[in-house]
Amino acid sequence: MKNFRFDEVQGHINNAVNVAIARIEEREAELFLSELASSGNGGASPFQKMILPEAKLYSSFERSLSASLGKAFDYIGAAIAKAAYGNGEHDYVLDGEVSAEALSTIEEIVNKYKQRIGVMPSTTRELEEVFSVVDEGHPTLARKIKSDVFFIDHEGYENYLEIKTPQPNYDQCSAMKVRILTVHAMRRHQDKVRALVVFPHSPNGLFGDYAWPPLQYFFDPSHDWHARGLSLMGPGLWNFIGNSGSTFQCMMDCFYEVSVLRKQDLLELLKLDAPGGPISRREGEQQSAP
């Protein structure tokens, strides 16, 4: 991808790793001593701990890294958009007004999906309903809608993206649908607007079929997470933001470079002695003793 900001993207990945490491270091003593006292969080697991004492560290680090990467993806998306179009913002706030009638119509649409009475999501039908009310009403209610990433692309489209976990729960899906339709209502008089929910990867791999029930209840996959002929999940998302078929591969190259540079930091954090394998805390102390 032309102008891909490798250094900036790697910087955001490194920051996510730093945050995850710091969180584990803060809890290191608790994670190792959880069989004696787990500070009320129910973290004791003596049988697993006997077999692999480091297991708690592994699982905790994975969760911490997943959380920190979730925010890093917003920064990465904005950086890629800037390289591709010369503009791009993370945590963008759309500040405007909308009519009470439009908000009521949006609520009615989403409530039908909540009730699951056989009404399938259709963005075309939804926008027809919302726009008909917008055109008749008067926007008097102030609203702020935050998007994880915003950019105006080469076709002149305003793109409002929510980058979410590929397995959002029921309430998250409901709230996202409200925000998507509210963006469209607020930007009714703009010809080119995309309000999308998108996903950094597929939990079923590059070639596995994706089907997560809550998404099916609220979103139209042909519109709500689809653009320019791309499904906005995994490679499709990143290639869409970068307007290049090579953007996803550039991202993976960045992750690989960070993995090489940070390997020893992570091995030390997880109490591994590369290449010899696991060592216990006591053995490590004995080896370092004078």
Side-chain angles (χ1 to χ4, degrees):
M1 173 188 170
K2 185 179 179 181
N3 297 327
F4 188 88
R5 301 184 177 192
F6 284 93
D7 290 344
E8 185 174 353
V9 172
Q10 287 182 27
H12 293 312
I13 300 170
N14 260 313
N15 287 339
V17 173
N18 290 338
V19 169
I21 289 176
R23 288 172 178 167
I24 298 304
E25 288 178 339
E26 289 173 359
R27 300 182 58 224
E28 183 178 6
E30 178 189 348
L31 291 169
F32 267 96
L33 300 176
S34 60
E35 308 321 313
L36 301 177
S38 64
S39 65
N41 64 8
S45 53
F47 310 113
Q48 296 162 321
K49 195 71 169 287
M50 184 62 70
I51 294 173
L52 185 62
E54 294 81 9
K56 190 80 66 179
L57 281 174
Y58 301 160
S59 59
S60 296
F61 177 75
E62 182 179 18
R63 291 193 297 271
S64 294
L65 183 59
S66 178
S68 58
L69 279 176
K71 188 58 184 176
F73 286 135
D74 300 350
Y75 293 95
I76 292 171
I80 292 173
K82 286 180 183 178
Y85 314 109
N87 73 94
E89 297 183 45
H90 59 81
D91 299 307
Y92 177 83
V93 176
L94 175 63
D95 191 350
E97 295 181 334
V98 65
S99 69
E101 294 81 5
L103 293 179
S104 178
T105 298
I106 291 170
E107 183 178 359
E108 290 176 4
I109 291 170
V110 176
N111 282 338
K112 289 179 182 178
Y113 296 152
K114 287 182 178 179
Q115 296 168 12
R116 296 172 59 185
I117 55 178
V119 180
M120 296 301 294
S122 168
T123 300
T124 300
R125 184 192 68 245
E126 294 161 5
L127 292 184
E128 287 177 353
E129 293 181 30
V130 172
F131 288 164
S132 66
V133 175
V134 170
D135 292 342
E136 295 175 357
H138 300 283
T140 58
L141 300 178
R143 284 293 182 272
K144 295 179 185 289
I145 303 295
K146 192 180 84 167
S147 296
D148 295 320
V149 175
F150 169 78
F151 60 91
I152 300 175
D153 66 20
H154 62 296
E155 298 174 319
Y157 275 93
E158 297 178 1
N159 294 276
Y160 301 84
L161 309 187
E162 289 204 36
I163 303 180
K164 299 304 179 188
T165 169
Q167 295 175 307
N169 64 36
Y170 190 86
D171 291 337
Q172 289 172 325
C173 289
S174 173
M176 287 188 289
K177 188 66 177 187
V178 169
R179 288 193 292 270
I180 283 176
L181 292 178
T182 303
V183 168
H184 280 293
M186 294 170 68
R187 303 299 290 162
R188 165 66 175 118
H189 301 296
Q190 297 297 319
D191 293 333
K192 296 183 176 182
V193 174
R194 295 191 185 103
L196 304 165
V197 54
V198 300
F199 312 97
H201 73 281
S202 169
N204 296 330
L206 292 177
F207 303 106
D209 293 332
Y210 177 81
W212 182 245
L215 280 181
Q216 300 175 17
Y217 303 150
F218 292 95
F219 297 106
D220 180 348
S222 64
H223 288 84
D224 291 333
W225 42 290
H226 194 274
R228 292 196 220 125
L230 296 171
S231 176
L232 304 184
M233 175 177 287
L237 166 63
W238 303 109
N239 292 341
F240 163 73
I241 296 177
N243 193 33
S244 169
S246 64
T247 304
F248 178 71
Q249 185 57 55
C250 290
M251 267 192 68
M252 295 307 294
D253 290 344
C254 288
F255 272 87
Y256 176 75
E257 290 295 328
V258 171
S259 76
V260 172
L261 293 173
R262 303 304 300 274
K263 183 69 69 180
Q264 194 57 44
D265 293 340
L266 299 178
L267 292 176
E268 291 176 2
L269 175 73
L270 300 177
K271 310 304 175 189
L272 293 177
D273 180 22
I279 60 173
S280 71
R281 173 182 289 271
R282 179 174 297 177
E283 289 170 340
E285 291 173 348
Q286 290 172 345
Q287 291 172 5
S288 61

